[in-house]
Amino acid sequence: MKKRIYIIGSGFSALAASCYLSKEGFEVVVLEKNATLGGRARQYKKDGFTFDIGPTWYWMPDVFERFFADFGKKPSDFYQLEKLDPAYQVYFGVEDSITIDGNLDTIYKTFEKEEQGSAAHLRSFMASSKSNYDIAIKDLVYKPCISPLELVTPKTVTKLNQFVSTIRKEVRRNIKSNKLIQILEFPVLFLGAKPSNTPAFYNFMNYADFGLGTWHPMGGMYKVVEGMVALAESLGVEFRTNTNVEKIQTDAANKVTGLVVNGEEIEADLVLSGADYHHTETLLNENVRQYSENYWSKKTFAPSSLLFYVAFDKKLSNVCHHTLFFDSDFDVHAKDIYDTPRWPDNPLFYASFPSMTDDSFAPEGCEAATFLIPLAPGLEDTEGLREQYFQKIIVRLEKLTNQDVQKNIIFKKSFCVNDFVEEYNSYKGNAYGLANTLFQTAFLRPKIKSNKVANLYFTGQLTVPGPGVPPALISGKIASDLITKNQ
């Protein structure tokens, strides 16, 4: 008889795990508290406009290819990918921006134009970045990180110095231009930590950026969700939406016996949670929780975000599909997130204009835009503060890109700390999970297998390997492999 496993949540890690576990012969049921599947990767649609509520960047296409290949499929069986060229644009001031092309050779020329001699340094840096990528993404991150010995291989032994140095030190070793430094440090923001606290080994993110390029799934990131759901359903996975798990029940032997779902008790052989790790443990009796509130309070969390989904009645100019606004002090904003949490006075922000690439996002002649301001988790969140910060960034957008846009806004919707808590049970409203700092890497992250409840497992951004969509897919595979091995 097949063992039944209930998966809590339907984000990328949960969807990936559901596919692998069903393939291995488990009877898989996915329980999603919200009305739509995909976890944080949902969409908001209104008046002909479409917005990806969560992730908007498609990096590391090889990870997606590896996932679908495990089932004899390709991404193209489910969605169409377009490589962005240019990949993105970075504003540093009025009429002062650098555009990163989709071609590495062109990027070398862009660096050399900005700072003489920097292209040679970038070539060396990228060689290291690719080497680390090959070690990390093709092997290291697929380990369950039960033991630190998993990280000790002939290849990683030669990289030990890169675990004690930082991204900040390595980037600034030879590059002097502050603009180029910020461009090289920017990708580690996806890992949720400051460059000064991120091990140099993580420069593999620069290969993900410059080497593999930035892509767009036509129809948006939700097309990836739809593709994974279609694959899962073809494998026999059952999905239940509007299904809130209220308690995880255990017996005297500390084994899961069932769940309380929408007020009703159901029996369970195994449970895998793709929901927020901290929240999941609050569903257990206190004596079988692995991590205390004190433990979580001392962890370095990746940022939360203030997001705006904005519809414009005209096409915007002087921006790219992905546009970064780094015209304020990066270090000051980072301090406001990680060191002394507060609302930043002059925040950096990011904007996505997918309708520049994909006509399905907005009516003809219009533009759909998503704006994101990184924030410390746990901050006060009010409608007044949201509006105050929208005015800050929209005025800067107009000034930096030399265009009037406020009078062209049809509607806007915001999403912030309170929404992350309400919609996703996110600890302190964080958006990306635990930061990948040196002491929160690999085996030092919360464990995939509970050490107190025999048949309870976790997957997603608070466990290994860490924040981001590709790591979420990998986390789902790691968790499913561990479950299969232990049965």
Side-chain angles (χ1 to χ4, degrees):
M1 183 176 176
K2 286 184 178 181
K3 279 196 172 182
R4 172 173 284 200
I5 182 164
Y6 285 98
I7 299 180
I8 304 173
S10 65
F12 284 111
S13 59
L15 291 176
S18 75
C19 293
Y20 286 112
L21 289 166
S22 189
K23 181 184 176 185
E24 290 298 324
F26 290 88
E27 183 181 344
V28 183
V29 181
V30 176
L31 309 175
E32 169 56 53
K33 73 181 282 285
N34 292 313
T36 57
L37 301 173
R40 300 177 190 221
R42 297 182 297 160
Q43 283 190 328
Y44 168 55
K45 295 188 176 186
K46 182 178 178 180
D47 299 342
F49 290 86
T50 298
F51 306 87
D52 279 319
I53 289 178
T56 56
W57 292 79
Y58 191 105
W59 272 7
M60 304 184 189
D62 53 324
V63 174
F64 294 86
E65 289 164 7
R66 181 168 173 174
F67 166 75
F68 284 109
D70 284 342
F71 304 92
K73 301 290 184 180
K74 304 184 295 294
S76 58
D77 293 328
F78 301 98
Y79 52 89
Q80 177 190 343
L81 275 180
E82 293 288 333
K83 188 174 185 182
L84 299 183
D85 192 6
Y88 55 90
Q89 182 178 11
V90 186
Y91 270 95
F92 299 98
V94 178
E95 297 183 0
D96 182 9
S97 70
I98 292 178
T99 298
I100 299 299
D101 289 88
N103 179 280
L104 185 53
D105 287 335
T106 307
I107 295 172
Y108 289 135
K109 294 175 182 176
T110 298
F111 268 59
E112 190 65 20
K113 181 179 179 182
E114 177 65 26
E115 179 184 327
Q116 188 174 355
S118 64
H121 296 311
L122 180 59
R123 287 181 189 277
S124 175
F125 184 81
M126 290 302 296
S128 167
S129 174
K130 184 181 187 305
S131 172
N132 289 348
Y133 189 91
D134 289 341
I135 293 170
I137 304 302
K138 295 182 180 179
D139 180 32
L140 219 55
V141 297
Y142 284 89
K143 297 182 184 296
C145 296
I146 296 170
S147 163
L149 294 179
E150 294 173 26
L151 305 181
V152 181
T153 70
K155 290 182 178 179
T156 58
V157 165
T158 65
K159 303 281 187 176
L160 289 179
N161 65 311
Q162 294 195 28
F163 285 94
V164 294
S165 184
T166 67
I167 288 288
R168 189 181 186 95
K169 288 180 182 176
E170 294 305 307
V171 165
R172 295 165 187 251
R173 192 180 302 280
N174 294 305
I175 305 292
K176 304 305 177 187
S177 164
N178 191 52
K179 297 175 189 176
L180 300 183
I181 286 170
Q182 288 189 70
I183 290 172
L184 287 174
E185 290 182 347
F186 142 70
V188 303
L189 297 180
F190 285 98
L191 302 173
K194 293 192 296 185
S196 57
N197 289 339
T198 304
F201 182 77
Y202 283 101
N203 74 351
F204 65 72
M205 291 297 294
N206 295 99
Y207 180 71
D209 179 1
F210 291 173
L212 297 175
T214 303
W215 300 74
H216 173 73
M218 298 301 285
M221 289 295 289
Y222 199 69
K223 288 297 179 184
V224 184
V225 171
E226 291 178 338
M228 294 179 73
V229 169
L231 174 61
E233 289 180 332
S234 74
L235 294 165
V237 176
E238 178 187 347
F239 290 95
R240 300 178 188 174
T241 55
N242 296 309
T243 306
N244 186 39
V245 176
E246 296 157 346
K247 188 168 181 59
I248 301 173
Q249 298 176 314
T250 56
D251 60 16
N254 294 337
K255 183 178 180 181
V256 172
T257 57
L259 302 169
V260 177
V261 179
N262 290 349
E264 297 183 5
E265 294 184 14
I266 57 174
E267 293 182 2
D269 298 312
L270 290 154
V271 171
L272 169 64
S273 179
D276 180 272
Y277 203 124
H278 167 269
H279 169 73
T280 302
E281 288 222 310
T282 67
L283 304 179
L284 292 162
N285 290 331
E286 195 167 348
N287 65 304
V288 288
R289 296 174 190 172
Q290 302 172 93
Y291 305 107
S292 66
E293 289 298 320
N294 187 50
Y295 169 90
W296 293 110
S297 69
K298 291 181 178 179
K299 289 298 171 184
T300 301
F301 274 80
S304 184
S305 299
L306 170 55
L307 294 127
F308 295 99
Y309 312 106
V310 186
F312 294 97
D313 67 5
K314 71 171 185 178
K315 303 299 289 184
L316 273 61
S317 57
N318 303 326
V319 291
C320 289
H321 181 132
H322 295 298
T323 306
L324 302 161
F325 295 87
F326 284 4
D327 55 310
S328 60
D329 193 308
F330 177 95
D331 290 334
V332 171
H333 189 170
K335 183 179 179 181
D336 291 339
I337 295 173
Y338 297 103
D339 301 333
T340 53
R342 62 188 292 272
W343 282 84
D345 293 326
N346 195 27
L348 285 74
F349 67 99
Y350 152 71
S352 172
F353 304 97
S355 47
M356 296 187 69
T357 302
D358 188 340
D359 291 341
S360 70
F361 273 80
E364 186 176 356
C366 298
E367 205 84 86
T370 296
F371 296 93
L372 182 153
I373 302 173
L375 296 173
L379 294 182
E380 177 191 14
D381 172 18
T382 67
E383 288 301 321
L385 281 166
R386 295 186 189 195
E387 184 59 30
Q388 177 185 339
Y389 276 80
F390 181 74
Q391 290 304 316
K392 281 178 182 280
I393 64 171
I394 204 71
V395 168
R396 278 168 56 194
L397 170 75
E398 290 183 320
K399 180 180 178 182
L400 293 167
T401 63
N402 192 30
Q403 61 186 318
D404 295 326
V405 300
Q406 292 193 65
K407 64 179 184 298
N408 300 101
I409 295 174
I410 303 171
F411 66 83
K412 73 176 187 291
K413 174 183 173 68
S414 65
F415 198 97
C416 197
V417 174
N418 292 347
D419 300 297
F420 281 103
V421 173
E422 175 68 23
E423 299 290 331
Y424 313 125
N425 295 311
S426 171
Y427 181 74
K428 291 187 176 180
N430 80 83
Y432 305 106
L434 274 179
N436 264 337
T437 60
L438 178 60
F439 295 106
Q440 293 182 176
T441 291
F443 63 93
L444 297 173
R445 296 178 74 81
K447 304 301 182 188
I448 279 185
K449 184 181 187 302
S450 171
N451 60 21
K452 289 196 174 183
V453 180
N455 50 347
L456 175 62
Y457 297 80
F458 300 83
T459 187
Q461 58 190 11
L462 291 185
T463 183
V464 293
V469 177
L473 299 185
I474 295 168
S475 186
K477 177 173 174 56
I478 295 170
S480 61
D481 287 347
L482 201 57
I483 292 168
T484 302
K485 180 182 177 182
N486 288 334
Q487 298 310 305

